[in-house]
């Protein structure tokens, strides 16, 4: 999946304008394609994933950063983020929204853990393209761009933008900020 998502991950990471002291949460880090990049640019990186094996692998791969207090990895779900309110300046996630049962709940939690002025960057393949892949509907929920933007708006986000590197690119990156 990391190879297949490389272009989307790279573009989404370009949207994350980190300062050295920023606190970043990556939701659904999976194989860890973005973690190395985030760890070199942020003051602290937290990673949350549903997979215990992904969390174990991240702890092993980034043991030095964990020991230094620069990284932390947990098992969990976006609907109940195990973090304090206002803890992060950035929340980043690519190709995970299909596994979020209730967008409003997920974006409400992301809003809660972001500090004022914090930003969320979400990369995904929109519904009209994802539906062509015929993914199993018992575990995947495809999301339209409008559905994503509306859920972000209802959750209190401002400055909601759709970004793509070029016309004709199928996937999208949504960037929004907490006022």
């Amino acid at each position: 999946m990391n190879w297949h998502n490389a272009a989307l991950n790279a573009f989404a990471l370009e949207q994350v304008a980190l300062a050295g002291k920023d606190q970043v949460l990556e939701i659904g880090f999976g194989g860890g394609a973005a973690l190395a990049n985030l760890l070199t640019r942020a003051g602290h990186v937290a990673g949350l994933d549903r997979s215990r094996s992904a969390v174990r692998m991240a702890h092993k791969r980034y043991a030095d950063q964990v020991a230094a207090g620069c990284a932390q990895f947990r098992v969990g779900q976006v609907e109940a983020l195990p973090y304090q309110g206002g803890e992060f300046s950035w929340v980043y996630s690519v190709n995970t929204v299909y596994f979020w049962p209730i967008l409003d709940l997920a974006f409400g939690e992301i809003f809660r853990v972001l500090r004022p002025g914090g930003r969320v960057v979400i990369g995904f393949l929109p519904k009209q393209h994802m539906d062509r892949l015929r993914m199993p509907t018992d575990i995947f929920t495809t999301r339209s761009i409008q559905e994503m933007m509306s859920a972000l708006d209802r959750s209190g986000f401002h400055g909601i933008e759709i970004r793509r590197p070029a016309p004709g690119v199928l996937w999208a990156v949504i960037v929004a900020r907490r006022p």
Side-chain angles (χ1 to χ4, degrees), residues 90-148:
W90 289 89
V91 173
Y92 173 87
S93 189
V94 170
N95 281 336
T96 63
V97 297
Y98 325 115
F99 305 104
W100 301 358
I102 304 169
L103 282 182
D104 287 353
L105 184 56
F107 285 133
E109 275 292 279
I110 291 170
F111 187 91
R112 181 185 67 76
V113 302
L114 275 171
R115 62 183 55 132
R119 296 190 182 267
V120 60
V121 174
I122 306 287
F124 71 109
L125 185 63
K127 180 177 180 50
Q128 70 267 29
H129 306 297
M130 192 73 172
D131 283 350
R132 293 179 192 160
L133 300 177
R134 299 178 193 229
M135 303 303 281
T137 57
D138 60 332
I139 58 172
F140 286 92
T141 302
T142 57
R143 308 290 188 188
S144 71
I145 287 175
Q146 188 56 50
E147 180 182 12
M148 295 284 290

Side-chain angles (χ1 to χ4, degrees), residues 15-18 22-25 88-91 114 119 121:
Q15 310 314 302
V16 182
L18 293 175
D22 278 329
Q23 307 275 334
V24 180
L25 169 61
F88 299 100
S89 47
W90 289 89
V91 173
L114 275 171
R119 296 190 182 267
V121 174

